Amino acid sequence: MSELIPVLSKEQIRTLVEKVAKQISVDYKGKELILIGVLKGAYIFCADIAREITLDRLKVDFLRAASYGGGTTSTEEIKLTKDIDIDITGAHVLVVEDIVDTGLTLRFLIDHLKSYNPASIKICTMIDKKERRKVDLQADYACHVVQEGFLIGYGLDYDEKYRNLPGIYEMKL
Ligand code: 5GP
């Protein structure tokens, strides 16, 4: 049985999400913004942050990159398995990610989205995990920063399980 060490409670997550959503609402005031959630891990974070952003013209879409499988290390081979449906040409885009680890997934997704010529493209992540970053990539908005560890809960899985946990935990395998 693996040990689960609490990292963020449901209440702490709510406070952090509200704070970041408030900042996004200020930064994009008067603009149309398209949130692009990265499936599957960001589905809960994206739903929560969208409901806290107070912009009138907010759109939401999703894409999906092939990720972990059953292991706990990022694969360096990334594939787009679902593209966006909304036209983002000339639009302000905010990519909503669950966790940035090596940064390779987001680098790949950002390069892909840039090919549609959006007006701007920024990154919002629930967790910014610093230690294993391999590319020069900074999250513009991060709810919480950790150095290391394999996290589960609040959308984050291990072998497709634990996504439904309302808090975030570090899993000691
Ligand atoms: P990166 O390409 O930045 O190394 O990894 C990004 C993806 O790897 C995330 O979207 C997530 O799916 C997965 N990932 C990275 N770190 C963790 C972690 O601590 N826990 C879980 N569950 N997934 C992670």
Side-chain angles (χ1 to χ4, degrees):
M1 183 70 191
S2 337
E3 193 188 349
L4 297 185
I5 300 162
V7 174
L8 291 173
S9 68
K10 182 179 169 182
E11 292 71 27
Q12 286 171 315
I13 292 172
R14 182 191 292 195
T15 306
L16 292 168
V17 171
E18 281 173 3
K19 190 171 160 220
V20 169
K22 207 171 182 180
Q23 188 61 50
I24 292 168
S25 305
V26 170
D27 294 350
Y28 289 91
K29 193 166 184 245
K31 293 183 178 146
E32 180 179 291
L33 178 64
I34 305 178
L35 297 184
I36 300 185
V38 182
L39 295 171
K40 296 181 196 174
Y43 78 109
I44 294 178
F45 178 44
C46 194
D48 281 354
I49 202 145
R51 282 177 291 183
E52 295 297 334
I53 293 173
T54 54
L55 301 171
D56 296 336
R57 294 180 297 150
L58 184 78
K59 294 180 181 174
V60 182
D61 202 351
F62 293 92
L63 49 57
R64 185 166 182 201
S67 64
Y68 271 41
T72 58
T73 50
S74 296
T75 167
E76 298 197 15
E77 202 189 319
I78 302 151
K79 276 192 280 178
L80 189 73
T81 54
K82 187 223 168 292
D83 203 355
I84 49 170
D85 301 311
I86 294 179
D87 180 12
I88 62 165
T89 308
H92 295 290
V93 166
L94 187 58
V95 180
V96 179
E97 178 62 300
D98 52 357
I99 185 163
V100 186
D101 183 10
T102 62
L104 290 167
T105 307
L106 265 184
R107 174 82 286 144
F108 172 85
L109 292 175
I110 298 267
D111 287 347
H112 168 69
L113 291 171
K114 276 185 180 164
S115 70
Y116 293 120
N117 296 316
S120 71
I121 181 159
K122 290 193 173 183
I123 298 166
C124 173
T125 187
M126 180 65 214
I127 304 282
D128 190 353
K129 188 160 75 175
K130 295 284 190 191
E131 196 183 66
R132 301 186 328 131
R133 195 65 43 87
K134 285 189 182 159
V135 293
D136 182 20
L137 183 135
Q138 296 289 329
D140 300 281
Y141 304 94
C143 291
H144 187 66
V145 177
V146 297
Q147 275 308 114
E148 57 186 0
F150 186 77
L151 307 185
I152 51 103
Y154 195 65
L156 288 161
D157 76 310
Y158 173 66
D159 203 12
E160 294 299 330
K161 294 188 289 279
Y162 305 111
R163 293 193 197 276
N164 59 320
L165 294 180
I168 295 179
Y169 299 82
E170 181 178 347
M171 189 175 193
K172 294 280 186 196
L173 294 161

